[in-house]
Amino acid sequence: MLPSVDEILGDDSLKSILNEYPRSLVLDSVRQAIDEKRKLIIKLDENNEGIEINNSDIIIDSIKKIKVNYSLSLKNVINGTGVVLHTNLGRSLLSESIKEEVWEIASKYSNLEYDIELGQRGSRYVHLVDIIKKLTKAEDVLIVNNNAAAVLLVLNTLAKNKDVIVSRGELVEVGGSFRIPSIMSLSGAKLVEVGATNKTHILDYEEAINEDTNILMKVHTSNYKILGFTESVGLDELSKISKKYNIPLVEDLGSGVLIDLSKYGLSYEPTVLDSIKKGVDIVTFSGDKMLGGPQAGIIVGKKEYIDKMKKNQLTRALRVDKITIAALEATFRLYLDEKKAVKEIPTLRMLTYSLDELKDRAKKFLDMLNKLKLNIDIKLEEGFSQVGGGSMPIERMNTYLISLRPNNISVSSLEEKLRLSNSHIIGRISEDRYLLDVRTIFDNQFEIIAKEIKNALI
Ligand SMILES: *Cc1c(COP(=O)(O)O)cnc(C)c1O
């Protein structure tokens, strides 16, 4: 009773689809649709139930499958979680204002590795040197694929088969796969742990120094805090012994902050400039955490060490693409005017919303939802957002949430329907209500979400 693939393909609606989609994908999708029908027949037959085969059903199924099979796997979602740097949802978001410049570089020839003045081969890293030097006051700059790669390159270049001293309070694990002890052994450097989990003194470092010590390392405990009876050695003191014994001081800063965020109501987070000023020889940080740029690992510091890194073969293996360089240069340029950076870089914008702004936006969203007269309880609630991305773990930013409790379906069913909808809305469930934090939602997404909630309740 089942139609052949050709019979389905002969239908007018599929003929026009064949002009739009690749033939092999259309064929596979039609086969899938017929196959599913075949399985259904077998199942119904086992239960002695009858079935009517209708070609138009198979055509409709085929067209649905063609669209699903052709859609890209990587797609946009709406982040209603209030976690600004959500690593699973793409971490930091690039500024709309740089899209033209990034696309121009990505789609046309450029002077990526070409010196226009001299008419000869150049270096892809030069494009970022001046601007990053200006913003961080460092002597030199090198960019790699991400901060994990930056740490690996620094350790491998400066301390292969040598000792690296790190406090026991700073043996960080980030996002499961990056651990200071593991990256250390991968780099060939030998980890020398000093101090205790809660307390490390300057003497602990000094006592561990010997002729094999090549790096004193400080790791910013970006995703946890040790509280209570604690003591750690600050950069000032570490810098003193680094100079006294002539051993480079390296800092893994994690999330690279360039501006003093305490001006905008957040807790103070050490900036790259602080570290350089305090005498750190090499600082590494991420491009896509609080900086708000593309994924990258940024290494700044003393030229003599960075020159060595440039000669390391690993640098070639960890090198960044032109799209990254274009996005990073344009993002850094926004920082030349701090106010502009805070306004135009979405990550900074979201982190620095005032409570009043959030309330206004939440109210606007609430009104929009109330107008739809849906069968659902809607409330405005106060709550907390998180920085995320392993940054500022105990920072609780006040925010406004839209809290939803449907009357005809369960909260978990609402969550699932919104997640699987075309807009892929990601919220969270807490105490039997569905919560959307307006901090991480764009203004032009409120209407889309309202429409999807309406659909979900039908
Ligand atoms: C996030 C982080 C890393 C890893 O950075 P990626 O850019 O994600 O590779 C390394 N060290 C610290 C301290 C971090 O916070």
Side-chain angles (χ1 to χ4, degrees):
M1 286 191 294
L2 283 167
S4 69
V5 173
D6 281 340
E7 254 179 283
I8 299 295
L9 288 180
D11 186 85
D12 282 345
S13 56
L14 273 147
K15 273 186 202 152
S16 64
I17 281 237
L18 271 170
N19 293 329
E20 261 180 79
Y21 295 92
R23 188 176 172 84
S24 65
L25 186 130
V26 173
L27 283 176
D28 283 348
S29 306
V30 171
R31 279 195 199 107
Q32 273 175 21
I34 296 174
D35 216 44
E36 271 176 22
K37 201 59 113 190
R38 177 178 297 115
K39 285 191 182 124
L40 183 70
I41 294 171
I42 292 167
K43 197 169 140 212
L44 291 174
D45 188 53
E46 276 168 2
N47 300 339
N48 285 323
E49 289 173 58
I51 183 173
E52 224 174 285
I53 298 295
N54 201 331
N55 280 9
S56 63
D57 284 350
I58 297 179
I59 289 164
I60 290 167
D61 286 352
S62 298
I63 293 172
K64 273 191 200 151
K65 282 188 191 307
I66 290 162
K67 291 188 174 151
V68 170
N69 289 341
Y70 193 66
S71 70
L72 294 175
S73 166
L74 184 60
K75 50 184 123 234
N76 285 126
V77 306
I78 291 178
N79 179 7
T81 65
V83 180
V84 177
L85 292 169
H86 200 306
T87 301
N88 300 152
L89 306 185
R91 266 204 197 160
S92 66
L93 313 176
L94 295 183
S95 167
E96 177 99 26
S97 69
I98 68 170
K99 72 176 177 197
E100 190 74 29
E101 282 155 325
V102 175
W103 176 244
E104 284 297 304
I105 294 301
S107 62
K108 292 183 179 133
Y109 290 113
S110 63
N111 63 339
L112 179 66
E113 284 188 359
Y114 184 78
D115 187 321
I116 296 175
E117 302 263 303
L118 299 177
Q120 65 189 33
R121 191 190 167 142
S123 151
R124 68 176 57 214
Y125 302 107
V126 299
H127 310 292
L128 290 159
V129 171
D130 286 345
I131 190 144
I132 299 180
K133 269 163 72 170
K134 190 173 165 62
L135 291 164
T136 64
K137 305 274 184 278
E139 268 179 37
D140 205 2
V141 175
L142 183 62
I143 310 296
V144 288
N145 189 47
N146 54 23
N147 188 33
V151 176
L152 177 69
L153 178 65
V154 172
L155 294 172
N156 179 266
T157 308
L158 303 180
K160 192 171 179 198
N161 299 322
K162 296 288 183 177
D163 289 0
V164 178
I165 302 178
V166 187
S167 157
R168 289 202 168 87
E170 299 172 4
L171 300 174
V172 178
E173 172 179 308
V174 186
S177 50
F178 176 92
R179 283 178 164 180
I180 288 293
S182 321
I183 211 94
M184 197 76 75
S185 61
L186 192 66
S187 75
K190 272 186 288 180
L191 170 64
V192 177
E193 304 175 17
V194 296
T197 305
N198 58 331
K199 280 200 171 202
T200 305
H201 308 277
I202 190 78
L203 207 61
D204 295 321
Y205 287 91
E206 277 201 271
E207 279 174 2
I209 292 175
N210 62 40
E211 64 276 10
D212 274 342
T213 310
N214 271 27
I215 290 179
L216 298 178
M217 187 166 183
K218 179 104 185 143
V219 185
H220 183 47
T221 58
S222 41
N223 58 5
Y224 65 96
K225 284 268 184 287
I226 300 180
L227 303 172
F229 189 56
T230 66
E231 192 171 324
S232 65
V233 182
L235 291 175
D236 293 320
E237 275 183 287
L238 277 175
S239 169
K240 264 185 220 150
I241 59 166
S242 134
K243 291 201 172 66
K244 181 170 159 194
Y245 295 93
N246 197 23
I247 298 166
L249 175 59
V250 169
E251 185 182 28
D252 174 11
L253 198 52
S255 190
V257 179
L258 292 184
I259 58 185
D260 175 3
L261 288 171
S262 66
K263 280 193 249 169
Y264 303 93
L266 288 151
S267 334
Y268 185 76
E269 181 75 1
T271 66
V272 182
L273 197 66
D274 283 346
S275 300
I276 297 293
K277 265 196 201 149
K278 287 184 174 163
V280 180
D281 297 294
I282 292 289
V283 183
T284 72
F285 57 98
S286 287
D288 61 348
K289 287 189 182 169
M290 293 215 270
L291 188 77
Q295 181 190 300
I298 299 153
I299 306 171
V300 298
K302 294 270 161 65
K303 187 168 175 355
E304 62 169 303
Y305 302 124
I306 291 188
D307 278 344
K308 280 191 191 152
M309 292 173 210
K310 286 182 185 161
K311 294 196 192 102
N312 188 332
Q313 278 295 305
L314 260 183
T315 301
R316 177 62 178 79
L318 304 174
R319 90 173 184 189
V320 283
D321 173 58
K322 59 179 175 293
I323 303 179
T324 303
I325 294 174
L328 210 50
E329 189 187 5
T331 302
F332 272 111
R333 195 178 58 186
L334 292 171
Y335 277 94
L336 293 175
D337 178 351
E338 185 179 308
K339 286 210 186 77
K340 196 165 174 179
V342 170
K343 200 169 122 232
E344 293 193 1
I345 297 174
T347 301
L348 292 184
R349 178 99 190 86
M350 288 175 183
L351 288 173
T352 57
Y353 273 131
S354 72
L355 200 55
D356 283 344
E357 273 178 290
L358 291 166
K359 192 172 189 176
D360 286 349
R361 299 177 67 241
K363 275 191 174 154
K364 212 176 89 191
F365 187 20
L366 184 77
D367 286 347
M368 209 179 267
L369 287 167
N370 280 333
K371 278 209 191 94
L372 296 176
K373 305 224 176 307
L374 302 171
N375 189 14
I376 187 167
D377 287 339
I378 312 171
K379 281 202 200 82
L380 193 67
E381 284 185 32
E382 286 182 46
F384 297 100
S385 330
Q386 279 171 268
V387 179
S391 310
M392 306 178 86
I394 54 176
E395 185 81 18
R396 306 220 307 164
M397 295 180 287
N398 289 297
T399 193
Y400 280 91
L401 310 165
I402 296 293
S403 155
L404 302 169
R405 191 182 276 140
N407 297 319
N408 60 341
I409 58 171
S410 68
V411 172
S412 59
S413 160
L414 176 69
E415 185 278 332
E416 184 180 82
K417 284 181 175 200
L418 293 177
R419 177 162 41 85
L420 299 179
S421 71
N422 284 334
S423 312
H424 303 295
I425 300 156
I426 316 293
R428 67 190 150 100
I429 295 174
S430 170
E431 289 166 9
D432 205 35
R433 65 219 203 286
Y434 179 78
L435 301 175
L436 290 170
D437 186 333
V438 296
R439 185 186 292 274
T440 46
I441 301 172
F442 292 99
D443 284 333
N444 62 7
Q445 292 176 329
F446 290 149
E447 213 169 307
I448 299 168
I449 300 174
K451 220 184 325 168
E452 294 290 9
I453 291 173
K454 188 176 169 187
N455 287 342
L457 296 177
I458 290 170

